[in-house]
Amino acid sequence: MSKFKKMKKFSLDESIENSKFDFCKNLKWFLIAPAVIILVGIILLSTVGFNLGIDFTGGSNMTIYIDSEGAYTSETFDIDKDLGKIKNKINLVLKEFDLKVTTVQKTTIDNIDLGISGGDAVIVKYQNGKNLKTDDIEEINEKIRLGLLKAFGYAGQDALDINEVENSDLVTNGGVTTASASAELMMKSFIALLVAVVIILVYVAFRFEVTSGLAAILALFHDILVTASVLLICRIQINVAFIAALITILGYSINNTIIIFDRMRDELKLARNAGKKINNVEIANRSIRSTMMRSVLTTITTFVMIFMITVIGVADIREFAFPIMVGILSGFYSSVFMTPGLWAIAYRPRKRKKSLQNDTKNSKKPSEAMEGESEVEVLA
């Protein structure tokens, strides 16, 4: 025999499943961190508000052709090397009208007539001036367009050449979004969010029971509030993509929660079939431990992909990806550390039908019947 004992292979999955950590007992501590984040978010919302983008405040966008060869302009730019310089020129033009750039996004354009294929261009987005009518905005935008033409080297050309550039779509005036249209868009977005929450509540309540549905909805509100608070703290700009991100977060978070609820339902069935006392806390803890690694691995793989999109993506993609990145972490936290604990506090087993209870009592001795009445024990 070897004097060295064979070491047992370490298994993180088994270690978690066999651990004695009480998730439900420590629920109050798990609530502190999100409560602080949400409180800071509420303070910022009441003081400075969200950093709303042009989708919600009203704004305009223009596409500007960046001539790198001097064929149409007196000044040339390399869009990759001179992007900072390009942004500065745009900011100087907008500053004359008391406006500032919201987004500068690299793009390409094609123009067969002028022999341009995959030409470099930038999309400039900026918020409109406050309390302006559409006609006034369009008049200002025309001045901005001419200012941008001069800033990018069109100053030396006569009006005919400038009009040729405009008509050839090398410089185009994009859509104008007014404040009233933005208010309507915001209302529709939040209605869509509310409908999504209601549908999820109905689905979870139907698949499991009402207590699980309410616990899941509380967790979803937690995810929304934490994500919104983080965006408030980081001053991330919010556009329609944010609403789409929230709905995506709801779907991801409820998926994690349902995995744990499925396990809890199985544990309840096993306890009932075996005639054991139902201990909410024990069932919740056992369900969390048995599904923990699945939740962790799903969260990590999804988070890494969204993180890469956030890092290397363009501005519009980041506006969508960053909230999802925050929501993934928030959804994992609420699904594992909060929802099962809330369920354990609120869940009450359904009472058996009277006929079944009478049959049970008749088939047992009085002492056994007394024990049967206390068969179900619920720990909050």
Side-chain angles (χ1 to χ4, degrees), residues 97-114:
F97 301 91
D98 237 358
L99 301 173
K100 62 180 181 179
V101 173
T102 301
T103 305
V104 176
Q105 178 182 335
K106 179 182 175 181
T107 186
T108 58
I109 61 172
D110 296 316
N111 191 295
I112 298 175
D113 295 336
L114 296 176

Side-chain angles (χ1 to χ4, degrees), residues 157-313:
Q157 301 180 27
D158 57 24
L160 182 61
D161 291 331
I162 292 175
N163 287 331
E164 180 184 355
V165 171
E166 179 189 6
N167 293 334
S168 300
D169 292 332
L170 291 180
V171 179
T172 60
N173 183 7
V176 177
T177 308
T178 62
S180 59
S182 299
E184 182 181 355
L185 181 61
M186 184 180 291
M187 180 61 67
K188 288 181 178 179
S189 299
F190 281 105
I191 289 174
L193 188 63
L194 182 61
V195 169
V197 170
V198 171
I199 291 174
I200 289 173
L201 173 60
V202 172
Y203 169 74
V204 176
F206 177 78
R207 180 169 178 177
F208 300 97
E209 30 78 32
V210 175
T211 305
S212 299
L214 293 176
I217 291 302
L218 287 175
L220 293 181
F221 276 117
H222 159 273
D223 300 338
I224 292 174
L225 292 174
V226 167
T227 304
S229 297
V230 171
L231 265 65
L232 274 163
I233 294 169
C234 298
R235 304 308 298 158
I236 302 297
Q237 191 173 90
I238 292 177
N239 284 301
V240 174
F242 174 64
I243 304 300
L246 287 183
I247 295 176
T248 305
I249 290 167
L250 295 182
Y252 178 85
S253 179
I254 200 64
N255 178 63
N256 260 353
T257 303
I258 284 175
I259 290 172
I260 299 176
F261 279 165
D262 268 329
R263 185 60 185 169
M264 288 194 295
R265 183 172 59 179
D266 292 341
E267 292 284 348
L268 283 171
K269 287 181 180 179
L270 290 173
R272 289 194 183 103
N273 293 337
K276 295 180 180 179
K277 295 178 181 179
I278 296 176
N279 187 320
N280 291 5
V281 172
E282 184 181 340
I283 287 174
N285 282 324
R286 198 157 53 232
S287 300
I288 295 170
R289 295 186 196 113
S290 62
T291 58
M292 175 66 81
M293 282 307 298
R294 181 176 178 180
S295 297
V296 169
L297 293 175
T298 303
T299 301
I300 290 175
T301 52
T302 310
F303 181 84
V304 169
M305 296 303 297
I306 299 298
F307 177 77
M308 294 305 298
I309 293 174
T310 304
V311 172
I312 66 177

Side-chain angles (χ1 to χ4, degrees), residues 1 14 18 32 35 55 63 65 78 95 120 146 176 192 230 263 281 290 302 304 310 317 325 363 376:
M1 290 181 64
E14 288 182 9
N18 296 328
I32 293 176
D55 289 345
T63 303
Y65 173 60
D78 185 322
K95 193 174 180 181
D120 289 333
L146 293 174
V176 177
V230 171
R263 185 60 185 169
V281 172
S290 62
T302 310
V304 169
T310 304
I317 296 297
M325 191 172 66
S363 63
V376 178

Side-chain angles (χ1 to χ4, degrees), residues 34-62:
V36 171
I37 294 174
I38 292 171
L39 180 61
V40 173
I42 292 173
I43 293 172
L44 290 175
L45 180 63
S46 59
T47 53
V48 297
F50 282 107
N51 181 18
L52 297 176
I54 65 174
D55 289 345
F56 292 130
T57 62
S60 303
N61 65 80
M62 295 186 182

